[in-house]
Amino acid sequence: MSEIPVELKYTKDHEWIREQDDGNLQLGITDYAQVSVGDLVFVELPENDTAVEAGDGCAVVESVKAATDVYLPLSGTIVETNDTLADSPELVNTDPYGDGWLMRFKPDIPAQLDELLSSDDYERFVAELNE
């Protein structure tokens, strides 16, 4: 079973969200997603100050197998991207919940975070995919 930290929120597109002390949210792809995609060779991230609507593609992770869109689950504005990934995209594979984070964003409606999946809900969702 993939690693699924309990303090995060999740989407059915396999993104995770971590609340930050300043009210912003941090986004990355789950361990399940990075295993599915394979060894990453490139990560394309948005520009800072980009407004993104919920459900829109906001980044691309590319492996030797395929390029996969990453979706922002809540509308918001990108405030920071993980520039380290330009030279070290493999961090998404080796540390998806730590140094492999993709971006931070300011949500338009922070309460919508409650609509995302809990770790238990995401674990059940992944288990159903593997049946």
Side-chain angles (χ1 to χ4, degrees):
M1 177 58 71
S2 299
E3 180 184 352
I4 303 173
V6 297
E7 73 277 8
L8 304 178
K9 292 288 194 169
Y10 298 89
T11 73
K12 289 185 176 183
D13 291 318
H14 306 288
E15 292 95 10
W16 59 261
I17 299 285
R18 176 182 288 123
E19 291 184 82
Q20 304 287 280
D21 292 339
D22 61 5
N24 290 327
L25 301 175
Q26 187 178 49
L27 176 124
I29 66 170
T30 64
D31 188 45
Y32 179 88
Q34 69 82 17
V35 167
S36 298
V37 172
D39 292 338
L40 294 185
V41 295
F42 181 72
V43 177
E44 180 182 334
L45 298 171
E47 297 289 323
N48 287 343
D49 299 321
T50 300
V52 181
E53 293 296 317
D56 284 355
C58 60
V60 177
V61 292
E62 188 174 323
S63 72
V64 293
K65 293 197 288 190
T68 304
D69 288 331
V70 177
Y71 303 96
L72 203 67
L74 308 173
S75 296
T77 303
I78 307 302
V79 296
E80 182 183 3
T81 58
N82 187 351
D83 296 335
T84 306
L85 299 179
D87 294 325
S88 302
E90 70 279 358
L91 287 173
V92 176
N93 295 115
T94 59
D95 193 10
Y97 301 111
D99 291 338
W101 64 276
L102 301 177
M103 67 195 74
R104 292 189 174 104
F105 68 100
K106 179 179 176 57
D108 291 343
I109 305 171
Q112 288 179 329
L113 183 64
D114 295 335
E115 297 170 16
L116 299 180
L117 301 174
S118 69
S119 60
D120 288 342
D121 293 337
Y122 182 70
E123 186 171 5
R124 280 190 291 276
F125 173 72
V126 169
E128 290 171 9
L129 293 175
N130 293 322
E131 289 180 350

